[in-house]
Amino acid sequence: MMVPHLKIAVLGLGYVGLPLALALARKFKVTGFDVNAGRVAELAKGHDRNGESSNAVLRSTTLDFTYSEYDLSNHDIFIVTVPTPITDDFKPDLSYVESAAMLVANHMKKGAIVVFESTVYPGVTEDVCGPLLENVSGLVCGHDFYLGYSPERINPGDTAHTIENVTKIVAGQTKEVSSLLAQVYGTINENNIFIATDIKTAEAAKVIENAQRDINIAFVNEVTMILSKMGVSAYDVLEAAGTKWNFLKFTPGLVGGHCIGVDPYYLTYKALALGYNPDVILAGRRINDDMGAHVARKL
């Protein structure tokens, strides 16, 4: 398969999918798909309500915007960048990923590669999405089509760590697929690619990135609440402690956004399913969730 001649479809044109699709469209024939017709119409007119992409970039791109699933036919690579939220009882909500997989399955051809970028617990790509793609398409996973995973590392509003200048992790179902994905993603970030051992490793790497940050923030938040009872400024303490060369410089605050308050629950869900109680991760989540009440009391 000649890399320059690949046709790529990106499903989901949110804060992850749109920058990726625009970057890939500089090198490949790319279709950007979203189920929200209003969102597609805005982008086609050169406006991104999220403010992640400029009007000039949108108006000059060769990216084809569509909300019609029939435009997904005859693509070589499908990249799924849909949300993976949690339910009200803190369990993974895979409905968006599953819906996207069914859309792909209805239109993919033999030899297609389906790549997931959405944050999931290890095993979702191969154990959930793979069988779903097989059942709907009638094709055989690992023979008629192949899976891949490349975790997103978009930080909304961050103009420094854009998709063009961060390391991209890729993993394929086979070494050949991994190599191809490394070449494709490498065209947008000067080949700053890390090929993971396998898909589950790549999934795990993504889900622990934000869990680690959540725990570090939780520690500082807990220290802040303790110091507050002593009448001591946490900021003064952190400034002093920060003079040590190996002190991690986190600051107290509220934890929100799309990822940090959500992703740890994907890991803890899988851990609990395996019979392991993830004490540290869940404690971090509890502390950070309580930080809002602490701030309110202080105010």
Side-chain angles (χ1 to χ4, degrees):
M1 190 178 289
M2 298 272 302
V3 172
H5 302 296
L6 293 173
K7 290 185 66 177
I8 301 173
V10 177
L11 284 78
L13 296 175
Y15 72 95
V16 174
L18 179 61
L20 174 64
L22 289 169
L24 288 171
R26 301 187 193 113
K27 301 290 183 179
F28 304 97
K29 176 68 174 175
V30 180
T31 299
F33 171 87
D34 200 286
V35 294
N36 186 332
R39 170 72 169 162
V40 171
E42 284 183 356
L43 294 173
K45 292 177 181 177
H47 174 65
D48 175 20
R49 69 177 72 176
N50 296 334
E52 294 294 320
S53 302
S54 69
N55 293 355
V57 169
L58 288 170
R59 287 171 181 154
S60 64
T61 184
T62 60
L63 175 63
D64 292 326
F65 297 103
T66 185
Y67 58 86
S68 172
E69 66 173 275
Y70 299 104
D71 291 329
L72 295 175
S73 299
N74 299 315
H75 287 79
D76 303 298
I77 298 178
F78 297 87
I79 303 177
V80 177
T81 65
V82 297
T84 44
I86 53 174
T87 62
D88 291 339
D89 56 351
F90 305 108
K91 294 180 180 178
D93 179 0
L94 298 176
S95 60
Y96 295 95
V97 170
E98 292 170 339
S99 295
M102 286 189 285
L103 273 177
V104 170
N106 283 325
H107 299 283
M108 69 180 181
K109 59 184 180 181
K110 283 189 175 182
I113 298 173
V114 186
V115 183
F116 293 87
E117 289 213 2
S118 307
T119 303
V120 293
Y121 57 81
V124 168
T125 299
E126 295 167 294
D127 302 337
V128 177
C129 298
L132 182 59
L133 287 163
E134 277 190 326
N135 292 337
V136 176
S137 70
L139 301 176
V140 179
C141 186
H143 182 267
D144 297 325
F145 72 92
Y146 300 90
L147 299 173
Y149 188 77
S150 181
E152 58 91 0
R153 280 178 167 169
I154 295 292
N155 190 23
D158 187 342
T159 57
H161 302 95
T162 61
I163 193 170
E164 292 86 0
N165 55 24
V166 298
T167 302
K168 201 77 169 74
I169 297 174
V170 300
Q173 196 169 8
T174 67
K175 289 184 178 180
E176 292 75 18
V177 172
S178 293
S179 177
L180 180 64
L181 294 179
Q183 293 178 64
V184 170
Y185 280 103
T187 63
I188 62 179
N189 70 351
E190 298 182 347
N191 294 311
N192 185 9
I193 302 294
F194 180 90
I195 300 179
T197 305
D198 51 36
I199 289 175
K200 285 186 174 67
T201 298
E203 290 170 323
K206 170 56 184 175
V207 80
I208 73 164
E209 289 173 14
N210 287 325
Q212 181 191 62
R213 185 164 178 78
D214 194 38
I215 291 166
N216 282 325
I217 296 171
F219 169 73
V220 173
N221 278 342
E222 186 168 54
V223 166
T224 298
M225 287 186 268
I226 294 170
L227 293 174
S228 175
K229 293 182 178 295
M230 302 177 185
V232 177
S233 167
Y235 291 97
D236 290 345
V237 172
L238 292 171
E239 182 182 13
T243 60
K244 191 180 182 200
W245 66 89
N246 60 353
F247 186 81
L248 301 179
K249 296 184 179 181
F250 285 84
T251 54
L254 303 178
V255 176
H258 299 275
C259 300
I260 299 180
V262 173
D263 294 355
Y265 287 119
Y266 275 75
L267 185 57
T268 58
Y269 169 83
K270 186 63 175 179
L272 289 168
L274 294 170
Y276 181 84
N277 189 40
D279 295 323
V280 174
I281 300 172
L282 288 174
R285 278 283 71 238
R286 185 177 65 252
I287 291 166
N288 284 339
D289 280 344
D290 289 345
M291 193 60 177
H294 171 75
V295 172
R297 286 193 297 269
K298 294 295 288 183
L299 287 172

